[in-house]
Amino acid sequence: MKKITSIIAFLALGTAAVFAREVTISVGAGENWKGNHAPQFALWLEDTKGNYLQTLYVTGKASKKSWVFSPEEGRPESLPVWYHVSSHESAKTGKNVITDKNLDLDAVTSATPKGGIIFKAEIPEESCVIKAEFNTSFDYNETFTKKNSGVNGQPSVVYEANIPENEKEEIRLTFAGTGSIDGKDGKICRETEGLTTAKSIVKLTAVVFSK
């Protein structure tokens, strides 16, 4: 019985691999990318019902929670939408960063690239949604000041796009809203009032399908 179960599991994995679509994802740096503090960002997939599927890419500092002089609760406001949807804990205890037990992010994690990034990924054959969240710390303006927004400054900005089944044309992510200013929830706020430089962290995020 165990042998039969193993064979079924193997065939299921093989089928999933056959029907995976390979894509190239491009993230272009905007005018506010090269500030005093490099932006943190994550890209991930959800199904059409909003359920988390997988992380495609995340910057190392956000993944490992290696924030300098951060409070005990970490920096949940840095990428609140991604942290909540992926169940990736943002907090740390003492000098030891809490290890993530739900995700294996080593293969999709790196330091913030200086001029954007281009990478390959595999996505489901069926319809899904791709989302990307970006944030630059200390990005203050007249609306989001040090007094009312802590080290975050302007909130994270989120972009998204639907990826239909059998899609072959290039897909560009469009602005969807902002993350929680204090990181208390993972909701996307559609309000954009007060945003300035946060809207120019990224110039373009696109998905190109392999021929």
Side-chain angles (χ1 to χ4, degrees):
M1 184 66 182
K2 289 184 177 179
K3 185 175 181 181
I4 294 175
T5 302
S6 298
I7 293 174
I8 293 174
F10 175 79
L11 291 174
L13 289 172
T15 303
V18 169
F19 289 100
R21 290 182 282 178
E22 183 178 76
V23 296
T24 299
I25 299 176
S26 301
V27 178
E31 294 179 2
N32 196 39
W33 185 284
K34 298 180 181 179
N36 294 327
H37 303 277
Q40 301 303 316
F41 63 96
L43 293 95
W44 70 95
L45 294 177
E46 297 179 6
D47 64 21
T48 54
K49 295 182 180 180
N51 299 306
Y52 172 83
L53 295 177
Q54 68 182 98
T55 293
L56 301 174
Y57 184 93
V58 61
T59 47
K61 184 175 290 186
S63 172
K64 299 174 182 177
K65 289 81 71 174
S66 56
W67 311 110
V68 179
F69 302 120
S70 67
E72 186 176 348
E73 64 270 19
R75 288 288 315 285
E77 75 279 6
S78 58
L79 298 175
V81 180
W82 177 72
Y83 276 132
H84 279 80
V85 74
S86 67
S87 300
H88 189 73
E89 294 295 337
S90 151
K92 63 180 184 179
T93 303
K95 296 181 179 179
N96 299 318
V97 176
I98 294 176
T99 56
D100 186 272
K101 297 180 180 179
N102 300 319
L103 302 172
D104 181 9
L105 296 174
D106 289 344
V108 295
T109 302
S110 78
T112 302
K114 294 183 179 180
I117 187 171
I118 298 175
F119 65 97
K120 292 186 181 296
E122 288 191 347
I123 66 173
E125 195 68 32
E126 59 269 18
S127 299
C128 57
V129 178
I130 183 171
K131 292 185 178 181
E133 185 173 24
F134 303 85
N135 188 300
T136 300
S137 299
F138 309 104
D139 193 12
Y140 303 118
N141 60 18
E142 293 182 356
T143 302
F144 299 97
T145 66
K146 190 173 183 179
K147 290 184 178 180
N148 65 27
S149 60
V151 299
N152 210 37
Q154 296 171 70
S156 65
V157 288
V158 183
Y159 296 78
E160 64 182 9
N162 293 318
I163 302 179
E165 183 178 359
N166 300 320
E167 181 62 63
K168 299 298 182 183
E169 300 298 323
E170 177 181 296
I171 291 177
R172 297 189 177 189
L173 280 68
T174 58
F175 182 78
T178 63
S180 169
I181 191 65
D182 56 12
K184 289 184 177 180
D185 61 55
K187 297 177 181 178
I188 298 177
C189 176
R190 306 297 172 177
E191 179 61 58
T192 62
E193 184 177 356
L195 291 184
T196 53
T197 49
K199 294 188 292 185
S200 60
I201 296 175
V202 61
K203 184 177 181 180
L204 170 70
T205 303
V207 179
V208 178
F209 296 85
S210 300
K211 301 297 184 181

